[in-house]
């Protein structure tokens, strides 16, 4: 069950397991980190760069550098984990049947793992054709 507390001391008392408390802390930290990563991403691509000049060559040149690959991979990983954990909270609240909740989570986790694998594969193994 999701922790409803807003402060760490209260959350620690409310948590049923340490894992649930770690996920509660992760949601707060990853949310803040994601905000700054996405603001930085939008600043670099929408403010510093003319939107009309963003095309495949610009993206290919940018993603041919390891730094940008890691930056975008971090956004992908944190967004999938943060969103998946938030969806887990929703499923715990809305699906009462334990077996149905279990199988729904299996599908959810499989989808997240597939999206993470596909995103990582395309980000790190794609040849962008930059010479």
């Amino acid at each position: 069950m999701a922790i409803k507390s807003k402060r760490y001391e209260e959350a620690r008392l409310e948590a049923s397991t340490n894992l649930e408390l770690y996920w509660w802390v992760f949601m707060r930290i990853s949310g803040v980190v994601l905000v700054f990563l996405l603001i930085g991403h939008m600043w670099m691509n929408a403010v510093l760069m003319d939107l009309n000049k963003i095309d495949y060559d610009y993206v290919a040149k940018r993603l041919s550098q390891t730094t940008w690959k890691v930056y975008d991979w971090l956004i992908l990983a944190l967004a999938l984990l943060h969103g998946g954990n938030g969806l887990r909270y929703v499923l715990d609240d809305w699906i009462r049947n334990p077996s149905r909740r279990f199988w729904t989570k299996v599908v959810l986790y499989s989808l997240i793992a597939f999206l993470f694998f596909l995103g990582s594969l395309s980000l790190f193994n794609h040849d962008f054709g930059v010479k």
Side-chain angles (χ1 to χ4, degrees), residues 44-126:
M44 289 179 277
N45 290 318
V47 176
L48 296 179
M49 185 70 182
D50 183 16
L51 288 175
N52 295 324
K53 293 182 181 178
I54 295 178
D55 56 1
Y56 180 81
D57 292 329
Y58 168 76
V59 174
K61 186 175 180 183
R62 187 171 162 256
L63 288 179
S64 66
Q65 301 170 3
T66 305
T67 306
W68 292 118
K69 286 182 182 183
V70 171
Y71 187 90
D72 287 346
W73 181 82
L74 193 58
I75 292 174
L76 172 72
L78 284 176
L80 284 173
L81 281 172
H82 187 90
N85 192 42
L87 193 52
R88 180 182 66 90
Y89 287 160
V90 171
L91 294 177
D92 283 343
D93 288 343
W94 283 87
I95 301 177
R96 298 288 181 209
N97 185 336
S99 65
R100 185 175 289 165
R101 183 172 44 223
F102 171 79
W103 287 109
T104 306
K105 285 182 180 180
V106 167
V107 170
L108 168 70
Y109 298 153
S110 299
L111 181 63
I112 289 171
F114 175 72
L115 290 174
F116 180 72
F117 173 74
L118 189 64
S120 298
L121 189 68
S122 62
L123 193 59
F124 288 109
N125 290 333
H126 182 69

Side-chain angles (χ1 to χ4, degrees), residues 7-68:
R7 298 181 57 219
Y8 179 77
E9 292 83 17
E10 297 167 0
R12 195 171 59 189
L13 295 173
E14 189 180 338
S16 57
T17 63
N18 281 341
L19 183 61
E20 192 64 38
L21 182 63
Y22 296 149
W23 277 114
W24 182 86
V25 171
F26 170 78
M27 289 296 280
R28 272 89 190 137
I29 293 172
S30 68
V32 171
V33 171
L34 268 171
V35 165
F36 286 108
L37 285 173
L38 292 173
I39 287 173
H41 182 83
M42 290 177 3
W43 178 264
M44 289 179 277
N45 290 318
V47 176
L48 296 179
M49 185 70 182
D50 183 16
L51 288 175
N52 295 324
K53 293 182 181 178
I54 295 178
D55 56 1
Y56 180 81
D57 292 329
Y58 168 76
V59 174
K61 186 175 180 183
R62 187 171 162 256
L63 288 179
S64 66
Q65 301 170 3
T66 305
T67 306
W68 292 118

